[in-house]
Amino acid sequence: MFRILRLMTVVILAGSPIAQAEHPLDPLSWQEHWQILEVLQKNSRLDFTTQISQIRLIEPDKAKVWAWEPGQKLARGAFVVLRHAGNAHEIDIDLSKGTITRDDLIEARNVSWSSNEFFIGMEAALSHPAFIEGLAKRGFDDPTFLNCFTIPPGYFGTEEEQGLRIGHLRCQSAKGVRNPWPRQIEGLTAVIDMNEGTVIKVVDEFDGGLHNTTADYDLESVAPLRDMPPPLMVRQGTSPGYLHVGHQVWWQKWSFHARVDQREGLVISTVRYGDDEARPVLYQGYLSEIFVPYMDPGFAWHARNFIDAGEFIGLGIYQPLLPGKDCPSEATYQDGLNTDATGRPRVIANALCIFERDSGDPAWRHVESNISDSRPSRDLIVRVAAVIGNYDYLIDWVFQQNGSIVVRLGATGIVESKMSSAANAKEQNKKRPADAYGHFVDQHIVGVNHSHYFNFRLRSEEHTSELQSPDHL
């Protein structure tokens, strides 16, 4: 099929989130998102107070997806999680009929955060006497230049957590700096009742005021840079060696479907390998979760047990890739769609990129009877970038000519750090060392010890029922 299509066109037709779906696993389109909102409104599940946490595709039965042929229409469905009129709902919508097929009440405190919840409690905290006192002790009598935000803490089953939806509010000083991450107001936390927007308590572990260390990363701040080596130019002389039509990709003996999901990020589906009789290899694979626990027993840190993909999907964790920087200049791109708390769609340009890469390594070589032979290798890369607070993750699915699939992960961005009254390890209090649970990375800045656990889900050949919500698969 690839060879035939390649003769017909060399144009790369990247997937557009505006267009209607062609493949049954194509992401929800712009029009489908608005259809979902209209169905919810018609059924009294949406008004201006409704908070939407998720809108996602309900996938058809696997067997039907494998058997799908171009032009064939399969049922389309949407899975919605929202809070409305004091209740939380999981809702399934049949997009073919424009009807709700399931509407279940769930525990409201267990719903993932919507995009505007990260600022709940700010007004209450900044007017709370104990929080005001804590800021004053650190030299802040005016909160004008503070960045304050509420984050979902880890759950420890304490009495105050029972039955509540809780957030931890902390602040940074943004005055005069481009990068406020090292300027956190250390040791001051307001525990917020997320439903009421009120302060449950203020925890103050005061250990000194704000330092003057900056960690800006613009070129002017970090100059001088190391000398640049001579230019290295890698260019693809003709058209790409792969075909990218909509959300489907053909390359060498590989074929697969690729989309970006607001919750799961890059979803690779219906992977086949072979020539004319290509065999199914993998139905679906994606990064299901990133667990990031911090290892400092202080109150402001011990509850930082982030469930990155599940807790920070309010605006989508995947962000645009920069052509020529995040991906080679010859890469092709797909846009994506995210939604905010209103459920309204917005386009994420260049949400994933696809490109070929010459690794510089041989795929095979041998010398026999003084006859040498070596054959160069080439890979196909599908890449996305997830941005969650201070961290940027690069995720590559690598398809290789030898029939292997390799997933590569990289973390970059800015290390989560805490302020220290001590400038460095030599000056710190030996009885209470500031770097007991981390390392000094700059004057007065300690990078806190933590881990990143990446969990992937690989789905093979088992069949599911006609339409299954994402949480039931």
Side-chain angles (χ1 to χ4, degrees):
M1 181 178 182
F2 173 50
R3 294 187 180 89
I4 295 173
L5 287 170
R6 196 173 175 186
L7 291 172
M8 294 170 59
T9 178
V10 295
V11 178
I12 305 302
L13 304 173
S16 168
I18 306 301
Q20 291 290 348
E22 297 294 336
H23 189 280
L25 296 181
D26 282 356
L28 295 169
S29 68
W30 180 279
Q31 292 91 340
E32 286 175 325
H33 272 88
W34 279 104
Q35 180 188 1
I36 292 163
L37 298 179
E38 291 170 2
V39 170
L40 292 172
Q41 182 191 40
K42 184 177 67 175
N43 288 273
S44 302
R45 288 292 179 264
L46 179 68
D47 59 29
F48 70 94
T49 67
T50 304
Q51 299 292 303
I52 295 179
S53 296
Q54 295 185 49
I55 298 179
R56 298 167 59 201
L57 174 71
I58 294 179
E59 299 180 2
D61 175 72
K62 293 181 190 176
K64 292 186 177 181
V65 173
W66 278 124
W68 174 84
E69 295 288 343
Q72 180 183 359
K73 297 295 183 182
L74 297 183
R76 299 276 289 176
F79 169 70
V80 183
V81 180
L82 58 78
R83 284 179 294 134
H84 175 78
N87 295 315
H89 300 256
E90 284 186 351
I91 297 173
D92 290 350
I93 296 175
D94 185 329
L95 293 173
S96 303
K97 300 177 180 178
T99 59
I100 290 177
T101 58
R102 180 175 72 98
D103 185 354
D104 293 343
L105 291 175
I106 59 175
E107 285 283 351
R109 65 177 182 268
N110 296 334
V111 174
S112 57
W113 286 32
S114 57
S115 57
N116 59 2
E117 286 191 278
F118 294 92
F119 304 100
I120 287 179
M122 184 168 64
E123 182 177 347
L126 293 177
S127 61
H128 193 282
F131 202 80
I132 294 172
E133 180 184 351
L135 289 174
K137 283 195 293 186
R138 293 161 173 82
F140 294 95
D141 296 319
D142 184 342
T144 301
F145 297 119
L146 297 183
N147 291 342
C148 299
F149 48 85
T150 306
I151 57 177
Y155 179 76
F156 297 92
T158 62
E159 184 176 347
E160 73 176 20
E161 294 174 308
Q162 300 299 316
L164 295 180
R165 186 176 175 85
I166 287 178
H168 284 189
L169 181 140
R170 300 188 66 196
C171 299
Q172 305 168 333
S173 174
K175 184 178 180 180
V177 296
R178 294 177 175 87
N179 173 22
W181 286 102
R183 294 292 188 90
Q184 299 198 58
I185 310 303
E186 199 57 53
L188 184 63
T189 305
V191 180
I192 305 297
D193 182 328
M194 298 297 291
N195 290 330
E196 301 296 329
T198 56
V199 176
I200 298 173
K201 68 177 181 180
V202 173
V203 178
D204 190 350
E205 299 171 315
F206 180 67
D207 188 31
L210 185 70
H211 59 74
N212 293 318
T213 303
T214 61
D216 291 342
Y217 50 83
D218 58 288
L219 293 178
E220 181 180 348
S221 298
V222 300
L225 300 176
R226 72 182 71 179
D227 293 335
M228 291 293 291
L232 178 64
M233 304 298 291
V234 179
R235 295 199 177 276
Q236 198 152 22
T238 58
S239 60
Y242 60 89
L243 188 65
H244 181 191
V245 180
H247 296 271
Q248 296 177 270
V249 180
W250 293 265
W251 178 77
Q252 301 279 313
K253 295 185 177 184
W254 291 104
S255 66
F256 56 89
H257 183 277
R259 76 172 192 264
V260 175
D261 178 89
Q262 184 161 345
R263 165 65 176 79
E264 295 158 353
L266 175 58
V267 180
I268 300 292
S269 304
T270 58
V271 181
R272 293 181 172 91
Y273 183 82
D275 290 317
D276 296 332
E277 296 297 327
R279 68 183 181 88
V281 174
L282 176 70
Y283 178 71
Q284 198 166 79
Y286 53 84
L287 178 66
S288 60
E289 193 51 83
I290 311 170
F291 175 48
V292 187
Y294 282 78
M295 302 167 190
D296 186 313
F299 185 86
W301 289 92
H302 85 284
R304 293 186 177 214
N305 299 317
F306 296 130
I307 308 294
D308 277 354
E311 292 176 334
F312 294 92
I313 63 171
L315 285 173
I317 64 175
Y318 292 87
Q319 298 298 325
L321 293 160
L322 302 179
K325 295 182 178 180
D326 293 328
C327 306
S329 57
E330 68 272 11
T332 58
Y333 294 85
Q334 270 182 203
D335 294 342
L337 279 180
N338 285 345
T339 58
D340 58 16
T342 68
R344 298 179 184 182
R346 62 188 183 99
V347 175
I348 304 298
N350 301 338
L352 70 81
C353 72
I354 301 175
F355 59 94
E356 291 178 292
R357 181 164 61 194
D358 185 340
S359 66
D361 300 324
W364 175 89
R365 74 176 309 280
H366 186 61
V367 178
E368 191 73 41
S369 302
N370 293 324
I371 300 175
S372 301
D373 196 2
S374 182
R375 296 160 196 176
S377 66
R378 181 180 292 191
D379 298 334
L380 184 74
I381 315 295
V382 185
R383 174 175 294 169
V384 294
V387 181
I388 305 168
N390 55 302
Y391 267 106
D392 294 50
Y393 301 107
L394 289 173
I395 304 166
D396 286 358
W397 281 71
V398 184
F399 294 85
Q400 300 182 324
Q401 292 170 311
N402 63 3
S404 298
I405 302 174
V406 178
V407 179
R408 293 176 180 156
L409 298 163
T412 180
I414 302 169
V415 173
E416 184 86 25
S417 57
K418 64 185 294 186
M419 294 195 312
S420 167
S421 56
N424 52 57
K426 292 182 179 180
E427 296 181 10
Q428 67 182 340
N429 185 330
K430 301 302 181 183
K431 294 183 178 180
R432 295 179 57 200
D435 63 352
Y437 305 101
H439 301 276
F440 278 94
V441 295
D442 206 333
Q443 296 290 299
H444 298 284
I445 302 176
V446 175
V448 178
N449 293 337
H450 61 284
S451 298
H452 298 251
Y453 297 93
F454 297 87
N455 303 280
F456 280 82
R457 188 175 189 189
L458 303 179
R459 298 173 59 190
S460 56
E461 298 303 305
E462 305 88 14
H463 291 169
T464 60
S465 61
E466 181 72 13
L467 285 177
Q468 287 278 7
S469 299
D471 62 325
H472 293 158
L473 293 177

